[in-house]
Amino acid sequence: MIPQSFIQDLLARTDVVDVVGRHVTLKKAGINFKGLCPFHGEKSPSFIVSPSRQTYHCFGCGVHGNALGFLMENAGLNFVEAVKELAQMQGMQVPDDDTRPEDRERAKAHKEKQATLTDVMAQATKHWKQQLKTTPRAVAYLKGRGLTGEVAARFALGYAPDNWRGLASVFPKYDDPLLVEAGLVIMHEPQAGETEGKRYDRFRDRIMFPIRNPQGEVIGFGGRVLDKGEPKYLNSPETPVFVKGRELYGLYEGRSALRNKGYAIVTEGYMDVVALAQWGFGNAVATLGTACTADHVHKLFRFTEQVVFSFDGDAAGRRAAGRALEASLPHATDTRRISFLFLPTEHDPDSYIREFGPEAFEACVKKAVPLSRQILEHASADCDLDTAEGRARLLAQAIPLIRQLPEGALKGQIADDLATQARCPAEDVRRRLAEAGHGGHGQHTHGAQRPSRAHSSYDGPDDIPAFEPDGYAADDWTGSTGGDGQYSEYDTGAPPKRSGSWSGEKGRGNWSGGKGGGNWRRDGMRWQKQGSPVPQRPLPKATTPLDRMAWILVCHSDFWEQLPPSTHDLLCEQALPYGEFFRWLDRVILDQGPISATELLRLMRGVPEQDDTPPADTEGPFTQLADRMGRFLDLPDNKESVDDLMTMIKPLELDAIREELELLNQSGELSEAAEARKMELVRLSLAMKLEISQKRPISG
C-alpha cells in the first residue's frame, strides 16, 4: 500500500494542466484551460481543466477527477500504476507497495498528526490574537505602521508576549511533543543531572503573522520584533505541513484581490503584504525568508496570469530578482505577463506606499520592467557591449536563459532582441537555441502546444457545448461578443476526423455536417443554423422562472451548496444575465460561504460596505437584475426548500434534453454511440415530463 502522505505530496507537486496537456491540446479560456474531451467523441470543446482547483471536468460526459484520475481513465492504468507514472514524471521514488500492517498504521498516524498540527497552530493563532487586543504597546506599533484593526483582523495578526512559557496557558500539556513538531516550542537536550531538557516558546515579544495555506489552514508563523533585536523576523521551522519553498504569505487572504486586480505582486516581507493590503493592494504575497522558487511561481499561476516581482533597487534586490527571473522562465508562456519592479534603494513597498501613496505605487507597477527586457538586462550586467568580447559574453549568458522559455512567440521575439543587442544575425541566435534544445529542458508548460493523441479517437456523437465555468465573462471566449452578450465559439484549430468539416474563423466556430447535417454556429449558449437571424434577447417585461430561481438563491444562498453539480452547470449556462449571475454567485459562495440576502444585494449593486445606497455614478455587476427582482418579486416567506427550487429547475432540464436531442437528430449522425444517446435522451425526456406533470398543482 502506498502511503497516503506520499500521494498527497505527489499531487501537491503536480500540475493537472501539464498532465492532461500531454494528451489533449488545451487552449486558455479565462482562468482555466479548455479542449476536446478524450473520453467521448465531441467536436465542440466541453472539457475544462482548472489550475486553481487542480481538477478536470467534462460538461459533456460528466467525467471528473484529478491528475491521478486522468491517468487511470485515459491510459487504463490501475491506481498503483497511475501513481508510479505520475511519480516518474515528477522524479519521485514511490515507497514500497508491500507495506506491512504496522507501517500502514504508522502512515495513518502520520496523516492524523498532520491534521492535528494545523489544529494546534489554530489554537496558538487564537491565543495570540487575544493577546494583541490586551497589549497597548503592540497595538501602538501596528498603528504606527499605518495599519487599521480591520486589516489586522483580516490577516489574523497577533502578539506573542515576552514570556518564556506563554503557551503553557493555552496547552495544558506543555511537554507535548506536538508543540515542538509544530515549531511553537523549542526543546533542548537534557544536561548532565537533568531528567528533561528545557522547554520554552519559540516566539516571544513579537508581532505574529499566521501563514495560511490556500485552504485557510494555519501552517506556520512569522514573528517580527517590536523594538530592536535580532533576528528581525523569525519564521517557523519546516514541518510536515509547512515547506517554505512552496508557500506564499498572503495568498489565502488575497484570492479575491488577485482576481479583481488581475495580477499578483510578489514582495519580500510580511509587512509589505499587510501594508499594501491596507492601501488597496490586497493582491500582494511574500516569500517566506527564502528566494523565489519555481514552486512559488507555479502556485501563483494557478490564481492569475500576471505576476509583478517587487524588489529593492540595491545589489541584494538585483540578486533576488535574478533568482526570481530564473524560477519564472519555464512558466513564461505567451499568454502570461511577468515583470519586475525596482523601487528606490532606500525604500521597500511598505515604506514607499506610506510615503508617496497608492497612486504613486500603482504608477511604479505600470512601469515595471517586462520579462523580455529583464532577461537581457540580467544577462548583460557585466558585459561591455561596445566590444566583440562583451557581445559574445552576452550571447553566452543569455541563450541558456532564453532556452528555458516554453516554445512560442515570446521566445522568438526575445531571441530576435538578443540578436539586435549582440549585433549578430537573428538566424545565428535561433540556430544556437535549436542546437541547445527546445522548451525549457523538455518541460511541458501551460502555453506550449503539445502533441495530442485525443484528436484521432473521437467516435461518439457531438455534445451540446457546455458553459464556461466560474470566473468567465464574455471576453474570456475566443473571438468577440456582441452587445447582447452573445459568446463566440472556441476554435479548436483542428478538423474533426468524421464526416463534415470545421471552419475555425476568428470569433465563431462553424460545423458543416456531413450526412444530412447542415451548417451550425454557436449563438451565446445555444446553437442555430448558419444564416438564420441572431435573436435579440432583451429582459422580459414580466417576471420569469429564472427571476424567481435567482431571487430564492439570493434570499437562501445556503441552497446553492445543496444543489447537485449538474444543476449548477445547467443554471450557469443560461442566457445573460442569469447564467453570468449564477457563475458569480458560485464564486462568491466558494470564497465567503453562504451570506445574507442584504449582503448579496449589496455586492450585486456594487455598494461600498459602509454605505446603504450606491453612489449615483456607480453600478455594480448585477444592479439591473437586483432592481428587477426587487420590483417584481416579494420577499420569500422562509418556507421555501431546496426541493421547491429543484421543482422550478426541472423544466430547464427538460429544455436541455430536448435541445441536445434536436441537435443530434439534425446532425445526421448514425454511429452506434449517437443512436444509443438518442434513445437515452428520449427516455430521460419522457421521465422528466412525467415528473413535472406530477408536481404541477391541480387547479380547481
Side-chain angles (χ1 to χ4, degrees), residues 526-569:
R526 302 187 180 277
W527 288 82
Q528 66 173 179
K529 277 227 172 180
Q530 180 72 19
S532 58
V534 176
Q536 300 296 317
R537 300 195 186 107
L539 284 173
K541 295 183 179 180
T543 182
T544 67
L546 280 168
D547 288 321
R548 290 192 288 271
M549 295 174 206
W551 189 230
I552 288 176
L553 284 167
V554 166
C555 298
H556 302 282
S557 61
D558 58 307
F559 285 4
W560 181 260
E561 296 182 318
Q562 301 177 52
L563 298 176
S566 59
T567 302
H568 289 167
D569 303 344

Side-chain angles (χ1 to χ4, degrees), residues 352-426:
Y352 189 92
I353 200 167
R354 282 193 287 125
E355 181 169 343
F356 298 105
E359 293 81 9
F361 183 79
E362 187 160 19
C364 290
V365 171
K366 291 179 179 178
K367 295 178 182 177
V369 179
L371 175 76
S372 56
R373 198 187 333 154
Q374 182 63 21
I375 289 177
L376 299 182
E377 289 184 4
H378 181 68
S380 63
D382 55 353
C383 301
D384 182 359
L385 300 183
D386 292 330
T387 66
E389 292 84 354
R391 293 191 294 273
R393 184 180 180 88
L394 168 63
L395 287 169
Q397 294 181 165
I399 284 178
L401 297 176
I402 300 174
R403 185 191 310 155
Q404 298 179 57
L405 291 167
E407 291 299 330
L410 178 63
K411 185 174 184 178
Q413 292 286 339
I414 298 176
D416 291 346
D417 289 346
L418 172 61
T420 300
Q421 195 165 339
R423 303 181 198 174
C424 70

Side-chain angles (χ1 to χ4, degrees), residues 10 12 16 248 285 289 307 333 427 493 497 499 548 598 618 665 668 693:
L10 177 61
V16 70
L248 289 160
V285 298
V307 174
T333 66
E427 294 75 13
K497 297 295 182 183
S499 63
R548 290 192 288 271
T598 302
T618 300
N665 286 331
S693 64

Side-chain angles (χ1 to χ4, degrees), residues 199-466:
R199 292 173 178 265
Y200 54 89
D201 293 357
R202 179 181 299 274
F203 301 101
R204 303 178 307 280
D205 195 26
R206 290 177 179 269
I207 297 293
M208 299 303 299
F209 297 83
I211 302 164
R212 295 189 268 207
N213 62 20
Q215 291 72 45
E217 300 171 322
V218 178
I219 56 175
F221 296 95
R224 191 198 190 285
V225 294
L226 268 71
D227 302 315
K228 294 181 180 179
E230 293 296 335
K232 182 178 179 181
Y233 281 98
L234 180 64
N235 295 314
S236 291
E238 295 199 348
T239 69
V241 296
F242 179 51
V243 179
K244 296 176 184 178
R246 297 183 200 163
E247 305 299 337
L248 289 160
Y249 177 71
L251 185 59
Y252 172 76
E253 292 82 359
R255 292 173 305 161
S256 297
L258 285 171
R259 282 193 297 271
N260 295 336
K261 289 280 191 179
Y263 66 94
I265 302 173
V266 182
T267 68
E268 297 182 89
Y270 302 105
M271 279 304 303
D272 292 329
V273 173
V274 179
L276 287 174
Q278 175 71 62
W279 288 90
F281 291 87
N283 53 324
V285 298
T287 54
L288 304 171
T290 64
C292 184
T293 67
D295 283 337
H296 287 143
V297 179
H298 175 77
K299 180 169 286 190
L300 273 175
F301 278 125
R302 294 183 183 179
F303 294 87
T304 183
E305 289 293 283
Q306 296 186 40
V307 174
V308 178
F309 291 99
S310 176
F311 300 102
D312 299 342
D314 57 12
R318 292 282 172 178
R319 287 193 298 272
R323 290 190 289 269
L325 170 70
E326 295 183 9
S328 302
L329 291 174
H331 304 277
T333 66
D334 292 347
T335 60
R336 291 172 174 168
R337 181 178 176 182
I338 301 170
S339 51
F340 297 80
L341 167 62
F342 296 99
L343 295 172
T345 306
E346 66 275 15
H347 282 293
D348 57 24
D350 174 22
S351 64
Y352 189 92
I353 200 167
R354 282 193 287 125
E355 181 169 343
F356 298 105
E359 293 81 9
F361 183 79
E362 187 160 19
C364 290
V365 171
K366 291 179 179 178
K367 295 178 182 177
V369 179
L371 175 76
S372 56
R373 198 187 333 154
Q374 182 63 21
I375 289 177
L376 299 182
E377 289 184 4
H378 181 68
S380 63
D382 55 353
C383 301
D384 182 359
L385 300 183
D386 292 330
T387 66
E389 292 84 354
R391 293 191 294 273
R393 184 180 180 88
L394 168 63
L395 287 169
Q397 294 181 165
I399 284 178
L401 297 176
I402 300 174
R403 185 191 310 155
Q404 298 179 57
L405 291 167
E407 291 299 330
L410 178 63
K411 185 174 184 178
Q413 292 286 339
I414 298 176
D416 291 346
D417 289 346
L418 172 61
T420 300
Q421 195 165 339
R423 303 181 198 174
C424 70
E427 294 75 13
D428 287 357
V429 174
R430 290 178 181 259
R431 176 179 52 79
R432 293 190 185 198
L433 286 171
E435 290 172 353
H438 298 279
H441 307 299
Q443 292 180 2
H444 291 274
T445 54
H446 301 179
Q449 294 298 319
R450 308 172 179 90
S452 171
R453 296 198 313 236
H455 288 163
S456 63
S457 59
Y458 295 130
D459 300 319
D462 288 347
D463 280 349
I464 290 178

Side-chain angles (χ1 to χ4, degrees), residues 53-74:
R53 296 182 179 179
Q54 284 298 292
T55 60
Y56 65 89
H57 183 82
C58 178
F59 294 101
C61 64
V63 295
H64 180 89
N66 57 17
L68 282 174
F70 181 84
L71 291 176
M72 293 170 68
E73 291 284 343
N74 189 64

Side-chain angles (χ1 to χ4, degrees), residues 62-270:
V63 295
H64 180 89
N66 57 17
L68 282 174
F70 181 84
L71 291 176
M72 293 170 68
E73 291 284 343
N74 189 64
L77 305 177
N78 61 36
F79 180 76
V80 173
E81 291 169 340
V83 171
K84 288 182 177 179
E85 180 166 334
L86 193 59
Q88 186 176 12
M89 293 179 193
Q90 301 301 321
M92 298 174 66
Q93 182 67 41
V94 180
D96 185 10
D97 296 340
D98 300 324
T99 310
R100 296 173 298 177
E102 55 268 29
D103 293 333
R104 288 198 292 270
E105 287 300 319
R106 279 196 294 270
K108 181 180 178 181
H110 178 72
K111 182 180 177 182
E112 292 173 351
K113 181 182 289 186
Q114 286 183 308
T116 307
L117 282 174
T118 58
D119 291 340
V120 166
M121 285 186 266
Q123 287 181 262
T125 301
K126 183 178 179 181
H127 169 69
W128 286 327
K129 284 176 65 178
Q130 293 295 327
Q131 292 297 313
L132 176 63
K133 294 177 182 179
T134 59
T135 309
R137 173 169 158 266
V139 172
Y141 172 83
L142 293 177
K143 287 183 177 180
R145 299 296 296 263
L147 302 184
T148 63
E150 180 183 356
V151 169
R154 175 182 169 190
F155 286 88
L157 302 187
Y159 171 69
D162 191 8
N163 188 326
W164 287 92
R165 295 171 66 93
L167 291 177
S169 62
V170 183
F171 302 99
K173 294 183 178 180
Y174 190 72
D175 58 350
D176 190 338
L178 203 60
L179 298 181
V180 176
E181 192 168 359
L184 299 175
V185 170
I186 294 174
M187 183 184 72
H188 286 291
E189 293 296 325
Q191 300 296 320
E194 295 180 342
T195 57
E196 63 177 26
K198 294 180 179 179
R199 292 173 178 265
Y200 54 89
D201 293 357
R202 179 181 299 274
F203 301 101
R204 303 178 307 280
D205 195 26
R206 290 177 179 269
I207 297 293
M208 299 303 299
F209 297 83
I211 302 164
R212 295 189 268 207
N213 62 20
Q215 291 72 45
E217 300 171 322
V218 178
I219 56 175
F221 296 95
R224 191 198 190 285
V225 294
L226 268 71
D227 302 315
K228 294 181 180 179
E230 293 296 335
K232 182 178 179 181
Y233 281 98
L234 180 64
N235 295 314
S236 291
E238 295 199 348
T239 69
V241 296
F242 179 51
V243 179
K244 296 176 184 178
R246 297 183 200 163
E247 305 299 337
L248 289 160
Y249 177 71
L251 185 59
Y252 172 76
E253 292 82 359
R255 292 173 305 161
S256 297
L258 285 171
R259 282 193 297 271
N260 295 336
K261 289 280 191 179
Y263 66 94
I265 302 173
V266 182
T267 68
E268 297 182 89
Y270 302 105

